[in-house]
Amino acid sequence: SKEHVQNVKVYYEELARHIGKVILEFTRSSYGVISLPEAYRLYNRSRFKEAVPPQDFVHACVIFDRVGMPLRVGCTHPHSNNRVIFSVDDSTKAIRDRIMSCIPDACEGISRVAVALRAHVPVAVARYYLEEAEFQGLLARDDGPRGLFYYKNVFHQYVI
């Protein structure tokens, strides 16, 4: 525990390593992404001791890169508070490519549910990867009368 170490930095680094080892296995079985509350629940259930305080858990997760864990904490969208832990290893690239291949080249667009069905992933996972692709400028979306639809981004082709 934090009370038993001289250096708090060491405590958080060791905690990040422990969390990372547990959560990495879960992200591999959940298409590379897991919500922060779910990760907290899974980690604490895996322990045989008292639960780690939420603020310590979050602080340790933020330093995954410092301790060499292939995990990152982020949001499902830049304007969202839905925090997730996502894997940054090669397995997520295959999932991202599979989801992007579901976006038609034509101008009709596609919904999250249709992408999830085509890619054989849960809707929440499709949503995460679609929003990531939108943030990276690969996709555009239209939230119109038919609902929310994603399109391949063609705006970069036009120079004004």
Side-chain angles (χ1 to χ4, degrees):
S1 71
K2 193 167 31 174
E3 293 80 27
H4 294 102
V5 295
Q6 296 290 331
N7 187 341
V8 175
K9 179 181 175 185
V10 172
Y11 165 76
Y12 284 118
E13 288 175 350
E14 284 302 310
L15 183 58
R17 285 185 191 94
H18 286 266
I19 293 169
K21 288 176 184 174
V22 172
I23 299 305
L24 190 59
E25 292 305 313
F26 287 109
T27 61
R28 289 184 177 141
S29 65
S30 65
Y31 305 97
V33 63
I34 188 169
S35 74
L36 197 58
E38 180 67 5
Y40 179 72
R41 185 187 70 76
L42 290 169
Y43 178 70
N44 279 321
R45 287 190 73 192
S46 74
R47 295 173 47 90
F48 297 110
K49 303 179 206 175
E50 70 279 353
V52 171
Q55 62 273 20
D56 288 358
F57 182 84
V58 172
H59 186 86
C61 290
V62 170
I63 63 169
F64 279 144
D65 57 338
R66 187 182 340 160
V67 297
M69 296 305 301
L71 298 166
R72 301 294 174 269
V73 175
C75 292
T76 55
H77 191 270
H79 305 294
S80 171
N81 287 327
N82 296 333
R83 298 250 183 239
V84 296
I85 296 176
F86 57 95
S87 175
V88 291
D89 61 8
D90 292 336
S91 66
T92 58
K93 185 181 179 332
I95 297 166
R96 186 178 310 113
D97 292 346
R98 185 169 64 184
I99 287 174
M100 289 300 293
S101 71
C102 297
I103 309 296
D105 287 329
C107 295
E108 71 255 11
I110 190 167
S111 71
R112 290 180 187 155
V113 174
V115 169
L117 288 171
R118 288 183 184 180
H120 305 288
V121 298
V123 175
V125 171
R127 175 185 176 194
Y128 169 76
Y129 283 103
L130 289 168
E131 288 178 353
E132 274 293 309
E134 179 190 4
F135 180 67
Q136 294 171 4
L138 302 172
L139 297 177
R141 68 178 174 158
D142 178 34
D143 193 3
R146 297 185 312 150
L148 182 62
F149 282 79
Y150 290 88
Y151 301 84
K152 287 194 176 175
N153 188 356
V154 296
F155 293 108
H156 64 277
Q157 298 175 358
Y158 302 102
V159 180
I160 299 177

